[in-house]
Amino acid sequence: MGFQDTPEEWQVTATKTPFTGNKTSVRTDDVVMPDGTVVRRDYQVHPGSVAVLALDEENRVLVLRQYRHPVRHKLWEIPAGLLDIPGENPLHAAQRELYEEAYAKAEDWRVLTDVYTTPGGCDEAVRIFLARQLSEADCERYLVSEEESDMELARVPLQELVRGVLAGDLHNSCLVVGVLSLAAVLAGDGIDSLRPAEAPWPARPFGV
């Protein structure tokens, strides 16, 4: 199987939730280390997310520019959103996000990659999809608010995004992982080697 992450759970002797927010919370666990000592670990509890690398027929990626207050930047990103409903099928969530944020739909969907964004301090798991055969969604447009009301939309050649990532000009984790993963796929085994859109996702099990 080669190198592979494996599930494991160390003993927790105590746990509490000192903060609960609108979508996420902070948990404090007392964890038993291999030498028997007990240490405290604080981390953000997150419902999980999906992201969509939408690639058009000209090999351009659909990207959004959005203000992110914690880092005080406007970042170029790919469409993404929370898994708001426990057990929600991530493909359905991704299709919704592509429509709501970019007013687009796609006929061909694959799993591009699965990642833990910041496993040292958050349990967020993200599934990044590759979406192709794009067209404009002909449904009623989603009413945007807050940061989303200032979003910009663009289509940028994949290789231009790769260069921007490697130059240190682009920083959003889903965009970085998505464009580099797709570049690797295109240079390697090809898109047909990717997992199907409904592939199992142990980090966030889902129904149909």
Side-chain angles (χ1 to χ4, degrees):
M1 294 294 292
F3 291 103
Q4 185 175 5
D5 296 333
T6 55
E8 184 166 319
E9 188 167 352
W10 292 0
Q11 182 184 359
V12 174
T13 60
T15 187
K16 60 182 180 180
T17 305
F19 171 79
T20 300
N22 184 33
K23 297 293 184 181
T24 67
S25 60
V26 172
R27 182 176 296 162
T28 298
D29 289 344
D30 291 340
V31 186
V32 180
M33 297 289 107
D35 63 0
T37 60
V38 178
V39 301
R40 183 155 291 174
R41 292 289 179 260
D42 303 315
Y43 59 99
Q44 182 185 22
V45 178
H46 194 285
S49 306
V50 292
V52 184
L53 195 151
L55 188 71
D56 71 12
E57 66 281 355
E58 298 178 36
N59 230 33
R60 300 176 302 176
V61 177
L62 196 158
V63 291
L64 310 163
R65 190 167 182 247
Q66 183 173 353
Y67 177 67
R68 294 301 187 181
H69 185 71
V71 296
R72 308 307 199 268
H73 271 71
K74 273 192 169 182
L75 301 180
W76 284 106
E77 307 179 350
I78 57 177
L82 297 176
L83 289 168
D84 295 310
I85 304 170
E88 182 179 18
N89 186 311
L91 174 60
H92 300 166
Q95 291 169 333
R96 180 185 67 239
E97 292 300 330
L98 183 61
Y99 158 64
E100 290 182 353
E101 294 194 348
Y103 314 117
K105 60 183 179 180
E107 298 301 321
D108 184 73
W109 291 82
R110 317 285 177 100
V111 174
L112 186 54
T113 190
D114 299 324
V115 294
Y116 292 115
T117 54
T118 50
C122 179
D123 71 351
E124 181 184 15
V126 180
R127 169 156 281 188
I128 303 175
F129 289 90
L130 172 65
R132 298 188 301 161
Q133 300 177 25
L134 305 182
S135 61
E136 184 176 354
D138 54 5
C139 302
E140 182 179 353
R141 295 208 164 190
Y142 177 69
L143 181 62
V144 296
S145 61
E146 301 172 354
E147 290 93 342
E148 291 185 349
S149 63
D150 190 45
M151 284 196 309
E152 302 171 48
L153 179 64
R155 296 192 181 205
V156 182
L158 175 64
Q159 287 307 313
E160 184 175 336
L161 293 175
V162 170
R163 286 192 292 269
V165 168
L166 298 179
D169 296 331
L170 299 171
H171 306 88
N172 175 265
S173 60
C174 290
L175 182 146
V176 169
V177 172
V179 300
L180 295 183
S181 295
L182 180 56
V185 167
L186 294 175
D189 295 332
I191 288 174
D192 287 341
S193 68
L194 292 173
R195 287 171 290 163
E198 299 277 7
W201 189 17
R204 293 294 186 271
F206 59 91
V208 296

